[in-house]
Amino acid sequence: MKNSYQVKVNNTFDFEIDKKAALHLDSLKVSDAEFHVLQNNNSYKAEITEANFNQKKYTVKVNNNTYKVNIFNELDTLIKEMGFEIGAAKKVNEIKAPMPGLILAISVKVGQEVQEFDPLIILEAMKMENTLTSPRAGIIKSISVTNGETVNKNQLLIEFE
């Protein structure tokens, strides 16, 4: 394994940062999210305004300029090259009935944009109302059922574009 990190700033600029250089950065922690940094005789005020440690994504404000920063180690780069990105967007393109039941309500229309967890359909099964929500953000391509229709398990209900 190399002793460096690949860093992408604002999805535009790529940098390679040596671990040794990162450890020897001349910085002073001012608070939990604020730092005072000296680099090449220049002083910088840095603040981490957003952090997602698991996805290694950060928003950093440096002297009132905001930057989106993604950090990748060698393992992350290898996983990406193999096509197995961790945390990749969900690729669910259709909603099927999880059980037989009756369609009570359809909350969306064809062409409508939905966000993850938005309610799509209410399915009554075994005398219980089950709200089926969107597994991802997307646009509704087609709706294969109507209100009052009885559906079978695994029957196609909704497709995404």
Side-chain angles (χ1 to χ4, degrees):
M1 290 272 207
K2 290 192 287 186
N3 286 324
S4 64
Y5 298 101
Q6 299 297 321
V7 179
K8 185 176 268 300
V9 178
N10 292 341
N11 278 332
T12 305
F13 302 103
D14 293 309
F15 299 96
E16 185 170 331
I17 299 177
D18 181 71
K19 285 183 183 180
K20 186 177 179 182
L23 289 172
H24 290 95
L25 181 66
D26 190 1
S27 67
L28 176 66
K29 188 173 184 176
V30 178
S31 71
D32 284 341
E34 294 179 329
F35 299 85
H36 184 263
V37 179
L38 287 175
Q39 180 71 21
N40 297 329
N41 294 323
N42 292 315
S43 175
Y44 301 94
K45 177 184 175 190
E47 178 183 4
I48 300 171
T49 57
E50 292 178 40
N52 185 328
F53 182 77
N54 291 329
Q55 292 185 350
K56 300 176 190 166
K57 293 182 178 184
Y58 303 89
T59 302
V60 180
K61 191 173 180 180
V62 180
N63 289 350
N64 293 322
N65 294 314
T66 303
Y67 303 95
K68 300 280 185 188
V69 179
N70 297 358
I71 301 172
F72 307 94
N73 61 21
E74 187 176 8
L75 180 59
D76 296 324
T77 304
L78 180 61
I79 288 170
K80 184 176 181 179
E81 287 171 2
M82 293 175 65
F84 298 113
E85 289 187 76
I86 295 173
K90 294 179 184 176
K91 301 294 183 195
V92 177
N93 289 322
E94 54 189 31
I95 304 294
K96 293 184 177 182
M99 62 196 85
L102 177 69
I103 302 296
L104 292 182
I106 300 172
S107 306
V108 292
K109 293 181 172 65
V110 173
Q112 181 177 336
E113 186 173 338
V114 295
Q115 298 301 316
E116 187 173 11
F117 306 118
D118 282 355
L120 302 175
I121 288 182
I122 297 176
L123 175 70
E124 182 184 89
M126 298 181 290
K127 298 182 182 179
M128 292 179 57
E129 291 185 8
N130 302 284
T131 301
L132 304 180
T133 59
S134 179
R136 66 174 178 94
I139 297 174
I140 303 299
K141 179 180 178 182
S142 69
I143 301 172
S144 302
V145 294
T146 58
N147 282 337
E149 183 177 339
T150 301
V151 296
N152 296 315
K153 182 177 180 174
N154 291 325
Q155 182 175 334
L156 179 65
L157 305 176
I158 292 179
E159 281 185 292
F160 289 93
E161 287 186 6

